[in-house]
Amino acid sequence: MVNADILDLFQEKDFLRICAPMVRYSKLPFRILAKRNGCDLCYSPMIMADSFVQSAKARRNEFTTCTEDSPLIVQFAANSVSDFVNAAEIVVPFSNGVDLNCGCPQRWAMKEGYGAHLLTKPEIIHDMVRQVRNRVPEHYSVSVKIRLLEEDRKTIELARSLEFAGVTFLTLHARTTQERHSPIHEDSLREVCQSLKVPLVANGDVKSLKGAERLHAETGCKGMMAARGMLSNPAMFRGYPTTPLTCVQDWINISLDLETIFNCFHHHLVFMMEHIMPKEERRIFNSLKTKSAVLEFLEKNYGITYEPGKSGLSSANDIIICDKSSVREEMSAGAFFETTVQKDESYDDTLDSLGGLYN
């Protein structure tokens, strides 16, 4: 793993172009594609810290990387200081930073004390950051992704508390926990940004390079994080209005060279091709069930073919698995795996099929 200093990246650029943590989607092959198409920084999908710490199986399933996969932030969902600290220590050799998810508004997360529920317990978030900061190397990034609180004043108080605890930067999804698809609060982003010394990353409605540039100019935020925009157009930060076919070709080569499972391989293409294909073509393409059928369709209609080895990557030689043992290794796979994953081993990749738990 390249020893990239995340804070240096913020200082080198007007603003960082960032691919958000997305369950099922921001895995290794897509991170490689994003970085080859204009992203400065990528996140792993959100990982459950308790299972990651307790189970070697969870670590193998939930996290892979490679030497090209840098800079990389690994995001964890945790509801205890020990889980976040132990998970962070495991991934230090494989990444450039860790992030604590305090923004997931889903009911299952709130019920279990994860995600946005932590916003009601700022002292716990502060302690998590402080403890991790004291246990990882100085250059290693520690960050938190939060949502707006009911009042900007309270958001600023939380942000300053985390700055004092030692965060490298903060990410702010500029909606409250109750808001879903309403416009983001740009004024709040600007106020929080102006109140901090550490960089602030803006999240929400970043769907194009022009939009990111405008939001940077309006708020002063030093990072622009995109999620849905990246799914529909992984080359958005290079200024393309829709996914260029060269990017689709890159995805074919990267994902197949890394032996990506079909669901992931196909779902990304469905997003990428949405604004390229006419409606009838989309209907046919979205219903395809095998890699060979997808490749045949793309070659016939768009002249795109798989070029083995063209990506420069190999699943046998380049993928790095997180094989570091844990101080809390147990016979149990952890609550998450016991109640969900181990009940159904029929999926090619069970975690991908359980993505609804995180959405």
Side-chain angles (χ1 to χ4, degrees):
M1 179 59 60
V2 177
N3 185 17
D5 189 316
I6 302 299
L7 193 56
D8 285 348
L9 291 180
F10 279 107
Q11 295 170 348
E12 291 168 4
K13 303 204 174 219
D14 51 350
F15 66 88
L16 290 189
R17 293 132 175 93
I18 302 172
C19 182
M22 294 177 283
V23 172
R24 292 184 291 175
Y25 295 118
S26 52
K27 291 193 172 185
L28 175 61
F30 189 70
R31 297 197 300 266
I32 296 298
L33 180 71
K35 283 166 183 166
R36 292 185 179 183
N37 284 275
C39 266
D40 301 311
L41 175 63
C42 290
Y43 279 61
S44 75
M46 183 183 74
I47 298 171
M48 303 300 295
D50 60 347
S51 296
F52 195 79
V53 169
Q54 295 179 48
S55 168
K57 180 176 181 178
R59 294 193 288 278
R60 288 193 304 270
N61 277 276
E62 296 205 59
F63 180 74
T64 57
T65 186
C66 70
T67 54
E68 187 178 342
D69 187 27
S70 178
L72 170 65
I73 302 290
V74 182
Q75 188 186 72
F76 288 106
N79 57 11
S80 76
V81 174
S82 61
D83 282 339
F84 189 44
V85 170
N86 291 331
E89 289 186 314
I90 291 172
V91 297
V92 164
F94 307 98
S95 60
N96 308 102
V98 288
D99 184 82
L100 178 64
N101 185 313
C102 295
C104 179
Q106 293 297 308
R107 281 176 292 181
W108 75 268
M110 301 285 285
K111 180 180 178 181
E112 298 297 327
Y114 296 108
H117 176 79
L118 288 171
L119 297 176
T120 66
K121 299 181 178 181
E123 68 285 352
I124 293 180
I125 308 175
H126 180 281
D127 199 23
M128 286 183 178
V129 170
R130 184 173 58 82
Q131 295 286 356
V132 170
R133 181 75 279 165
N134 290 337
R135 299 274 287 273
V136 298
E138 183 179 357
H139 72 272
Y140 192 75
S141 177
V142 180
S143 58
V144 181
K145 188 171 185 287
I146 64 174
R147 280 180 172 257
L148 286 173
L149 300 176
E150 300 82 7
E151 301 173 21
D152 286 350
R153 173 184 58 82
K154 293 183 178 180
T155 307
I156 290 171
E157 288 175 359
L158 172 61
R160 284 177 171 167
S161 169
L162 299 179
E163 182 177 64
F164 182 75
V167 291
T168 307
F169 68 95
L170 286 170
T171 298
L172 177 58
H173 185 130
R175 296 183 178 96
T176 67
T177 303
Q178 291 72 37
E179 294 173 327
R180 292 294 188 271
H181 305 297
S182 59
I184 63 170
H185 299 275
E186 294 186 14
D187 290 346
S188 298
L189 272 172
R190 181 167 52 252
E191 285 197 37
V192 176
C193 182
Q194 292 174 351
S195 73
L196 298 174
K197 295 179 181 178
V198 297
L200 183 69
V201 172
N203 178 222
D205 287 349
V206 179
K207 297 179 180 178
S208 68
L209 178 59
K210 284 187 178 180
E213 291 171 339
R214 184 199 64 78
L215 192 58
H216 166 64
E218 290 291 327
T219 66
C221 291
K222 288 290 290 178
M224 295 292 136
M225 177 183 284
R228 293 177 184 173
M230 284 296 301
L231 286 180
S232 62
N233 181 9
M236 59 168 278
F237 282 128
R238 293 177 63 192
Y240 288 96
T242 58
T243 307
L245 290 181
T246 53
C247 185
V248 177
Q249 178 69 72
D250 286 344
W251 173 247
I252 296 295
N253 293 336
I254 292 168
S255 60
L256 294 185
D257 281 348
L258 292 180
E259 300 181 2
T260 303
I261 65 165
F262 175 75
N263 282 348
C264 182
F265 166 74
H266 186 222
H267 287 173
H268 275 294
L269 287 169
V270 168
F271 284 118
M272 289 184 218
M273 304 296 286
E274 181 181 2
H275 299 295
I276 299 173
M277 292 179 177
K279 184 176 181 180
E280 182 58 25
E281 273 193 10
R282 288 203 310 272
R283 185 187 66 79
I284 297 170
F285 183 78
N286 294 358
S287 67
L288 298 177
K289 302 298 183 184
T290 66
K291 289 181 181 178
S292 59
V294 169
L295 292 175
E296 181 180 347
F297 182 97
L298 291 176
E299 181 175 13
K300 178 182 178 180
N301 293 281
Y302 296 93
I304 294 174
T305 60
Y306 172 40
E307 303 168 278
K310 186 69 178 291
S311 72
L313 299 167
S314 162
S315 62
N317 299 323
D318 293 300
I319 291 182
I320 300 169
I321 297 172
C322 183
D323 57 359
K324 186 174 179 180
S325 61
S326 166
V327 295
R328 278 186 51 206
E329 197 77 36
E330 298 178 5
M331 293 297 291
S332 165
F336 173 70
F337 272 72
E338 286 180 342
T339 58
T340 53
V341 175
Q342 291 181 345
K343 286 185 177 179
D344 192 341
E345 296 289 357
S346 63
Y347 295 106
D348 289 333
D349 182 331
T350 312
L351 284 174
D352 276 336
S353 302
L354 291 169
L357 290 173
Y358 299 100
N359 285 342

